[in-house]
Amino acid sequence: MHRLPQEFLDRMKTQLGEEFDSFLACFDTEGYTGLRVNTGKVKVEEFLSGVPFHLTPVPWTTNGFYYDRESPVAKHPYYFAGLYYIQEPSAMLPASRLPVQPGDIVLDLCAAPGGKATELSSQLQGKGLLVANDASASRAKALVKNLALWGTANCCITGETPERLLEQFGCCFDKILVDAPCSGEGMFRKDSGLIESWKSRGPESYAPVQKDILDCAVQMLKPGGVLAYSTCTFSSEEDEEVISEILRRYPDMEPVQPEMAEGFAAGTAPCGQSIRIWPQRVKGEGHFLALLRKRGRKETEGAKKQAEPAYHREECTLAAYSAPEIQKNHRKIPEQVTDFLVKLPGVLWENTVYEQIGEQCLLLPPYHLPKHLRYLRTGIMLGTLKRGRFEPSQALAMLLDRHSFPCVLDLSAADERTIRYLKGETLELTAGEDAGLEKTGKCMTPGTKGWVLICVDGFALGWGKYVKGTIKNKYYPGWRLQ
């Protein structure tokens, strides 16, 4: 058993009562491993029929599954194609309960490394906008990679404080997820290093930070919008007491009952409309979730004034580019880039805004975004334009499949060349493949000639450059299989 702090054990005994012994026994067992299917790229049924792992459903999601710890899920080609995200099962809860609809403007305020942001992206189905933010620059690097691997186009990734986002965006989000920094008690079994961190910085250190983050989040939420607050801690001080304080400060916020599942527990009063996941009850680590809705103006008119709101922000929306503005913007696209774009599905570029920063070529979401923020990625990184030649990006490849580019080498997961490609090696072609690419290559425009989309069972992995009989490897070096 992990050496749990006595102060923690004493509190949990009081908090759990008769369940304390079964809770304590969990620390003598291994935790559970899970993955979540990318429904933006593959249907769950299709994924299950093709993946070689033994999977069993996570009860509280439609696309989450437990896998055996021995399964090499992080080395399978489908992982590199962005078909699934490796995620602790309980951590799948918050994004699954936030009622995101296609077309929403969504903020994931503490988004790194991207597990919840990728699911929010899938729920948007390519419509609306996802703003994924993390104040930590080091953590945000993983966020950038994971959203690119997932094939997310309609997003911007920022590295700002909540206060800075509030200043620039104002009150414009339909849905907000706050997966708050916390003492991590729910992850003690999974990561014993968090126990030592807890000893120096426990719940009393995090609760004020959580309230400050929620202060900003509430002010950025539109009337009628929904906010999800989650932690991976058991501490009432960081969970129910934080929510209770926010409801006191903001009388136009009201709790919403999240959908329950077998084994879930309700939170304690006055926040009984919340979910607690206890490891002695379900196959997962500790988690807490509360949903809050901001009442609209009509709902609050005539109601008894309980308290003066701590903010006075008008509802606003992100101004969208008009069709004429987009068409005018597209006339600025260099010919070499246009030659490549016209070979791609129109959905990727017809409703976006082109921008070039130095050699980098971007397709931005069709919104007039605030200018004075630190953007780590915005929209689609098309590629680079160097010395008059356009070179497509790895992120662009992850938005495609075998049907969305004219020149494709589609390998099977069992083909040893698939792993060789992921390691960065040059690929030798069979006679039939060589003849097919040669024929296709002759039909391509100068801007795309020679570029080949490498796929595994139809799902994109990255780019290669065709040279008669071989594929020169263009897989992004930083993503290569070690």
Side-chain angles (χ1 to χ4, degrees), residues 59-333:
W60 47 89
T61 71
T62 58
N63 60 333
F65 296 88
Y66 299 102
Y67 66 86
D68 296 333
R69 193 173 294 275
E70 297 76 22
S71 300
V73 295
K75 293 185 178 181
H76 194 277
Y78 289 171
Y79 176 70
F80 291 85
L83 298 193
Y84 56 88
Y85 186 95
I86 299 170
Q87 189 173 31
E88 194 280 313
S90 294
M92 300 177 190
L93 175 69
S96 74
R97 294 304 190 265
L98 185 63
V100 170
Q101 298 294 321
D104 279 347
I105 308 299
V106 180
L107 171 63
D108 188 348
L109 191 50
C110 312
K116 297 170 180 67
T118 50
E119 176 61 17
L120 297 176
S121 166
S122 294
Q123 293 175 22
L124 284 172
Q125 299 177 23
K127 301 173 183 177
L129 180 70
L130 171 64
V131 178
N133 177 77
D134 204 280
S136 167
S138 58
R139 285 171 51 83
K141 290 178 182 178
L143 178 61
V144 172
K145 176 185 176 180
N146 285 323
L147 282 170
L149 189 64
W150 206 246
T152 301
N154 57 322
C155 77
C156 60
I157 302 172
T158 55
E160 294 286 1
T161 63
E163 292 80 7
R164 184 70 174 153
L165 290 180
L166 172 60
E167 175 188 301
Q168 293 295 310
F169 277 106
C171 172
C172 73
F173 292 101
D174 299 294
K175 309 287 163 47
I176 298 178
L177 174 59
V178 177
D179 185 42
C182 67
S183 61
E185 295 173 354
M187 295 294 157
F188 281 178
R189 175 171 63 172
K190 181 181 177 184
D191 183 0
S192 60
L194 291 171
I195 298 173
E196 292 304 313
S197 299
W198 186 93
K199 292 177 181 177
S200 59
R201 192 180 181 199
E204 69 285 349
S205 300
Y206 285 96
V209 175
Q210 292 155 352
K211 292 172 186 176
D212 288 345
I213 292 173
L214 279 175
D215 268 331
C216 294
V218 167
Q219 295 179 66
M220 287 189 278
L221 187 68
K222 291 165 63 174
V226 179
L227 182 153
Y229 173 75
S230 66
T231 72
C232 56
T233 186
F234 302 119
S235 166
S236 297
E237 186 176 353
E238 299 177 74
D239 294 337
E240 288 94 344
E241 291 180 26
V242 167
I243 294 300
S244 181
E245 174 64 16
I246 291 301
L247 291 173
R248 187 192 65 78
R249 292 183 191 178
Y250 300 100
D252 54 350
M253 298 296 290
E254 61 182 359
V256 177
Q257 177 62 61
E259 180 187 351
M260 301 293 281
E262 185 177 356
F264 285 2
T268 57
C271 300
Q273 290 176 287
S274 56
I275 291 174
R276 277 192 174 276
I277 295 181
W278 294 99
Q280 74 273 18
R281 292 192 177 191
V282 302
K283 296 178 179 179
E285 305 305 317
H287 228 82
F288 173 84
L289 171 69
L291 294 181
L292 302 177
R293 177 178 172 270
K294 181 181 283 188
R295 289 190 288 265
R297 288 190 179 86
K298 290 183 180 179
E299 296 175 89
T300 56
E301 286 177 3
K304 185 177 180 181
K305 195 172 184 180
Q306 300 176 36
E308 187 68 23
Y311 63 102
H312 304 274
R313 290 190 178 272
E314 293 298 319
E315 177 187 353
C316 64
T317 57
L318 286 178
Y321 277 83
S322 65
E325 283 181 302
I326 292 173
Q327 292 169 4
K328 180 180 178 181
N329 175 273
H330 280 178
R331 289 197 287 271
K332 303 175 185 177
I333 303 177

